[in-house]
Amino acid sequence: KLVPANGVYVAKVELSDGRIYGAMVNIGHCPTVEPHCNKRTIEVNIFDFTEDIYGEKMNLSFVDFMRKERKMNSVEELRCQLIKDKEAAQKILKTMRDE
C-alpha cells in the first residue's frame, strides 16, 4: 500500500457494496487543529454521504492533487478553505463525468 505525499486530493471511493462516490482526501498532520501532532492521518470526506461506515473497507482512488497541506490562521479560515476545496473537487469530478 502506497500513501501519496501530504496534501489535499480529489478521489473516488468505492464501498464494499460497489457504490462509488466522489470525495476529497487530506493526508498529513492536521496543523491547524493539532499543531504539535506528529501522527500522519488520512481523512476522507465523501460527498453526499451520511452513513456510518467507520471500520468498513473501501477502495480509495486518487484522481488529482489539489494543494499542499498548510496551517491556517484559525479554524474559521480552515472551514472556508474546505468549502473552496470541496467546490474545486466537485468541479474536477464533474469534468471527468462530462468527458
Side-chain angles (χ1 to χ4, degrees), residues 28-41:
H29 296 63
C30 305
T32 303
V33 180
E34 297 185 46
H36 304 293
C37 179
N38 291 324
K39 183 178 178 185
R40 190 171 187 222
T41 62

